[in-house]
Amino acid sequence: DGNVFIEDGCDAECNGECGPIAAPPEAPPLGCGSANFSAYDHTVRAMPQRKYPEFCKAMTLEAWVKIDPDHADSPRYIMHVDGVDGFGLTVTAEKVECWVADIAGNRREEREFPTAVPLGRWIHLACSYDGTQKTVYIDGMAVGSMPYEEEPAWSVWGPLKFGQTVNVISPRTQFIGNIDEVRISTIARYTENFMPQMRFDPDINTVGLWHFDEREGETTADWSGNGVTGTFDDVRWSNDCPARPAP
């Protein structure tokens, strides 16, 4: 059916070692594009086709975003996965929020990273979890870290949205601006400050990778090899894309 599955070796209770993900497809041609979210209920939605118990070990959520300065007063959703077994990444002018669900279903605890967030220009956001703590980076610089000692419940990956919450939507949760280069990984990619890539490459630890370079049509391809195609709901294509962050 076009989907690529991991090898056996990682069960739903997060016991044992996780098998590698199959090799990703060849990289698409280089391009410059992004998804533009300009109004309420503009989203890109996707539906993963299997469970991802390897998330129980570690993960990284990252994306390039350009935030509209007039819509940064409340948590705006960059990405969100539904249900008790969910995770999410939101941003305001004054903080980044990154959370995961524990086995008790607590999603809102230990999630806020207060920091000044640049508005009106491209920035790289990343939330990296190594099994013991979460660290948030802006343009490759760590802006906060906190322990996460609860047992995560990442064995299920439900409906995925970019730009809005999967649950009760609101104008105050709608991301307004541009999103590009979204990658979800099953490892902690960053443990110290780094120079962000302008364009991400897939590897065996990538479970979702969206370049947003098509610039036409109503879908965006997942270049991880897992076939999690994103479908546009009123989102527009843009020729705007990230440039190297200012020093």
Side-chain angles (χ1 to χ4, degrees), residues 78-161:
I78 297 170
M79 66 182 80
H80 183 211
V81 167
D82 190 24
V84 171
D85 301 313
F87 57 77
L89 185 65
T90 69
V91 64
T92 74
E94 300 177 345
K95 64 183 176 182
V96 177
E97 296 184 351
C98 174
W99 76 92
V100 298
D102 63 25
I103 57 176
N106 299 314
R107 292 189 296 163
R108 302 296 177 177
E109 302 301 320
E110 300 179 344
R111 62 180 287 178
E112 296 188 1
F113 296 81
T115 184
V117 178
L119 306 176
R121 70 168 177 86
W122 283 105
I123 61 172
H124 177 264
L125 290 180
C127 177
S128 188
Y129 171 73
D130 66 3
T132 60
Q133 67 179 13
K134 295 182 295 184
T135 303
V136 164
Y137 299 85
I138 297 179
D139 288 340
M141 302 295 292
V143 298
S145 184
M146 64 177 64
Y148 189 79
E149 299 177 353
E150 301 295 331
E151 182 178 353
W154 288 335
S155 61
V156 177
W157 190 9
L160 169 66
K161 275 190 176 181

Side-chain angles (χ1 to χ4, degrees), residues 10-220:
C10 189
D11 62 33
E13 285 72 38
C14 304
N15 298 318
E17 297 298 323
C18 300
I21 297 172
E26 294 183 5
L30 294 178
C32 180
S34 62
N36 177 255
F37 302 76
S38 60
Y40 172 57
D41 204 21
H42 283 195
T43 65
V44 176
R45 52 186 170 82
M47 176 59 76
Q49 300 299 309
R50 66 172 177 87
K51 296 181 179 181
Y52 288 88
E54 62 269 41
F55 279 158
C56 299
K57 304 297 182 181
M59 77 181 306
T60 302
L61 310 176
E62 58 184 319
W64 282 91
V65 298
K66 188 175 184 179
I67 306 162
D68 186 323
D70 295 329
H71 297 86
D73 56 334
S74 59
R76 307 292 177 143
Y77 280 74
I78 297 170
M79 66 182 80
H80 183 211
V81 167
D82 190 24
V84 171
D85 301 313
F87 57 77
L89 185 65
T90 69
V91 64
T92 74
E94 300 177 345
K95 64 183 176 182
V96 177
E97 296 184 351
C98 174
W99 76 92
V100 298
D102 63 25
I103 57 176
N106 299 314
R107 292 189 296 163
R108 302 296 177 177
E109 302 301 320
E110 300 179 344
R111 62 180 287 178
E112 296 188 1
F113 296 81
T115 184
V117 178
L119 306 176
R121 70 168 177 86
W122 283 105
I123 61 172
H124 177 264
L125 290 180
C127 177
S128 188
Y129 171 73
D130 66 3
T132 60
Q133 67 179 13
K134 295 182 295 184
T135 303
V136 164
Y137 299 85
I138 297 179
D139 288 340
M141 302 295 292
V143 298
S145 184
M146 64 177 64
Y148 189 79
E149 299 177 353
E150 301 295 331
E151 182 178 353
W154 288 335
S155 61
V156 177
W157 190 9
L160 169 66
K161 275 190 176 181
F162 304 128
Q164 183 57 277
T165 173
V166 176
N167 298 321
V168 180
I169 60 176
S170 161
R172 292 183 60 79
T173 59
Q174 175 69 54
F175 178 86
I176 302 294
N178 289 54
I179 296 178
D180 195 19
E181 291 296 317
V182 177
R183 182 169 63 179
I184 301 174
S185 308
T186 58
I187 59 170
R189 290 196 179 273
Y190 311 116
T191 57
E192 58 185 20
N193 293 344
F194 61 96
M195 177 63 74
Q197 294 175 283
M198 298 297 102
R199 183 181 178 85
F200 304 138
D201 296 320
D203 56 25
I204 63 171
N205 301 300
T206 306
V207 296
L209 173 60
W210 299 267
H211 291 303
F212 293 102
D213 284 342
E214 290 86 350
R215 290 175 288 181
E216 63 180 8
E218 299 298 323
T219 61
T220 186

